Amino acid sequence: MSVLEPLAARYAEWLGLPAEETALPEAEPDQVRAMPVILRMEKATPPSRTPLLEAAAAAALAVCLDERAQPGGEWHEAVHDWVSGHIRKVSRRARGTHWVAAQEFPGVTVTVGGAEVRALVPGRVVDVPKEIARLQIQGSDLPPDEPPPAPDDLPLLLLNPEVPMTVGKASAQVGHGTMILASLLPDEELAKWAERGYACAVRTPSVAQWKHLHPGDDPAGAWRSRQVVAVRDAGFTEVEPGTVTVLAQYRS
């Protein structure tokens, strides 16, 4: 059984339900779990926004599908418990020695176009090591860039063009997108994606393009016909609950 199976089952239910009917029970404060996502943002040489988001999207999924997160692996219980509840991620920025220190904690680092992100094994927020907790959450933003057209053979993650998000918020949302896609794919497709390091393309479409791809009132049909899923945010930070932040389309 894949560690993402609870997410797959939940998303299958979401396909036919409005956002307000998909809420999970809130955990007690000391039981809230999250995946720390560490964005390398050196002051002198900051990364470009798009490669950083693409690295974040791949890193979050790489932790979930790492062999250590599968049944019997040392990360399995932590990842399973997290996936079974709200899929919270907390993006933090690091540079210099703080970035180096983050490499000592269990997780996966992904590099895309010189941008680096390390996704750590999720756990209870109250248990986050002090070396990670001291990393700043606020101020994680970068100016827009102008990436080339997305390759046709990579999964595509589209950011909502009408919902401004910091790079920290967007990095969490694209990670949700890759996880949902992976949870719905057959094993052979996952294996092909793994061979490419879970590479994906992140872009911001025009409003017209967004509306054209949006599942609308037929999310099940959108998945069957064009392998598109919508990421609905729980509304803990920056956006209203139920906001569709990302459309994710599996392409290979």
PDB file of all heavy atoms in Angstrom, residues 10 51 96:
ATOM      1  N   ARG A  10      -9.165  10.274   0.046  1.00  0.00           N
ATOM      2  CA  ARG A  10      -9.811  11.542   0.377  1.00  0.00           C
ATOM      3  C   ARG A  10     -10.085  12.362  -0.873  1.00  0.00           C
ATOM      4  O   ARG A  10     -11.142  12.956  -1.020  1.00  0.00           O
ATOM      5  CB  ARG A  10      -8.933  12.320   1.359  1.00  0.00           C
ATOM      6  CG  ARG A  10      -9.648  13.475   2.024  1.00  0.00           C
ATOM      7  CD  ARG A  10      -8.965  13.858   3.321  1.00  0.00           C
ATOM      8  NE  ARG A  10      -7.693  14.496   3.134  1.00  0.00           N
ATOM      9  CZ  ARG A  10      -6.518  13.994   3.561  1.00  0.00           C
ATOM     10  NH1 ARG A  10      -6.493  12.821   4.166  1.00  0.00           N
ATOM     11  NH2 ARG A  10      -5.396  14.641   3.381  1.00  0.00           N
ATOM     12  N   PRO A  51      12.135  28.213 -10.777  1.00  0.00           N
ATOM     13  CA  PRO A  51      12.906  27.016 -10.413  1.00  0.00           C
ATOM     14  C   PRO A  51      12.770  26.643  -8.938  1.00  0.00           C
ATOM     15  O   PRO A  51      12.747  25.457  -8.598  1.00  0.00           O
ATOM     16  CB  PRO A  51      14.342  27.405 -10.760  1.00  0.00           C
ATOM     17  CG  PRO A  51      14.217  28.453 -11.806  1.00  0.00           C
ATOM     18  CD  PRO A  51      12.979  29.215 -11.435  1.00  0.00           C
ATOM     19  N   GLY A  96      23.337  30.362   4.023  1.00  0.00           N
ATOM     20  CA  GLY A  96      24.613  30.164   4.698  1.00  0.00           C
ATOM     21  C   GLY A  96      24.646  28.942   5.581  1.00  0.00           C
ATOM     22  O   GLY A  96      24.230  27.849   5.202  1.00  0.00           O
TER      23      GLY A  96
END
